[in-house]
Amino acid sequence: MSLRVAFDIDGVLADFRTAFRQAATDAGISGRAADSDSPSSDPLSSRDIKAIWDHVKRTPNWWTGLQPYEPGQLVRLYELARRWKWEVVFMTRRPSTEGDPVQFQTQWWIEQQGFYYPAVVTVPGSRGELANALRLDVVVDDQLLNCVDVVGGSTAKALLLLRDAQDKTAQDHAVSRGIGVVSSLEEAIDVLEHLHESVGERRGRLQRLADWFGGARKPQETTLPVPDKNRVHLRNE
Ligand SMILES: [Mg+2]
């Protein structure tokens, strides 16, 4: 059995915070900086936030302009997924903007980062229900509430990506609920690799017996080729 993994996008792969701050400037809202990707906990007034979101929604394909937090990690994830036959899903609740559908904008952006043919689901509801319906093994998210939802509503494990190492409260809440805490996407993918290896070790004896009875393993070339990395064109080139 290969791993079935889901990644949240904003705050995990994409630097929403910086892009939203820029949108505030572009919308003519100066002074206080947008400080969170959750409108409810943002220090800006609700009127300001609405004005910024209106600006975002009027900007064609706004979601394609975000910067990746960790360039190179999506290439790494793609290569590992192909090598170990992981099934990867990207989940988001992004609102739509002018231009292409939010699903297509997000797929386009993920491909630009080097992960080909990404499966993107734009489901607004519970992450726990989604994890259950998709039979996920692991979900990586930067919001504690989403992680709590996942472990409460499914058998999937949750990994909370906390880029702010000072946030001990969220860390303690997560750990007390059996949620893993990582500080980067790189570390989250490291955890997946360890998980893959430990699942492999448990299955090792059975696999060896199957090899004895079943003869040689299937040749590796039964999988499709990995696309040429040169196909990745970064926006600034
Ligand atoms: Mg997020």
Side-chain angles (χ1 to χ4, degrees):
M1 189 191 76
S2 56
L3 286 179
R4 298 174 66 83
V5 194
F7 288 84
D8 174 54
I9 297 170
D10 294 311
V12 174
L13 313 178
D15 185 358
F16 172 86
R17 199 175 284 202
T18 301
F20 196 71
R21 222 175 265 146
Q22 183 59 48
T25 307
D26 295 345
I29 295 163
S30 53
R32 295 157 296 168
D35 197 30
S36 168
D37 57 2
S38 166
S40 60
S41 61
D42 200 283
L44 293 164
S45 73
S46 55
R47 198 171 152 189
D48 288 343
I49 291 165
K50 185 178 177 307
I52 300 167
W53 276 115
D54 286 346
H55 174 81
V56 165
K57 288 173 185 174
R58 283 195 307 270
T59 308
N61 297 333
W62 188 81
W63 295 108
T64 61
L66 274 64
Q67 294 297 315
Y69 267 117
E70 297 170 61
Q73 286 303 312
L74 270 171
V75 173
R76 177 184 171 216
L77 177 64
Y78 179 79
E79 289 173 351
L80 287 171
R82 290 298 308 274
R83 188 186 312 158
W84 301 120
K85 301 185 180 184
W86 296 346
E87 298 211 9
V88 180
V89 176
F90 300 94
M91 307 189 299
T92 184
R93 296 185 186 122
R94 291 171 163 182
S96 60
T97 71
E98 288 291 323
D100 291 297
V102 73
Q103 185 191 42
F104 183 80
Q105 290 185 46
T106 306
Q107 286 173 314
W108 187 92
W109 185 89
I110 292 171
E111 280 219 356
Q112 292 297 301
Q113 312 308 320
F115 192 109
Y116 300 96
Y117 312 112
V120 173
V121 287
T122 55
V123 178
S126 150
R127 288 286 165 92
E129 281 176 22
L130 195 56
N132 191 43
L134 297 176
R135 304 289 186 268
L136 297 174
D137 297 309
V138 185
V139 175
V140 183
D141 202 299
D142 67 318
Q143 300 288 321
L144 178 62
L145 280 178
N146 286 343
C147 291
V148 170
D149 194 15
V150 165
V151 295
S154 75
T155 56
K157 304 288 180 204
L159 277 181
L160 175 65
L161 201 167
L162 270 187
R163 292 190 184 276
D164 179 7
Q166 307 302 317
D167 195 348
K168 297 286 177 205
T169 312
Q171 205 166 331
D172 292 345
H173 279 307
V175 170
S176 69
R177 289 171 167 85
I179 294 164
V181 180
V182 290
S183 59
S184 65
L185 178 58
E186 182 178 14
E187 201 184 333
I189 298 173
D190 288 346
V191 170
L192 295 180
E193 276 198 282
H194 287 304
L195 205 57
H196 173 86
E197 283 160 13
S198 65
V199 169
E201 275 166 22
R202 264 187 279 139
R203 287 161 31 85
R205 260 180 63 189
L206 281 175
Q207 184 61 56
R208 282 196 293 277
L209 282 172
D211 288 346
W212 277 345
F213 288 108
R217 289 184 185 198
K218 287 180 192 168
Q220 285 295 314
E221 54 272 22
T222 52
T223 56
L224 294 165
V226 173
D228 185 349
K229 269 187 218 164
N230 295 328
R231 265 189 61 204
V232 181
H233 300 292
L234 297 176
R235 246 183 320 284
N236 296 332
E237 286 177 349

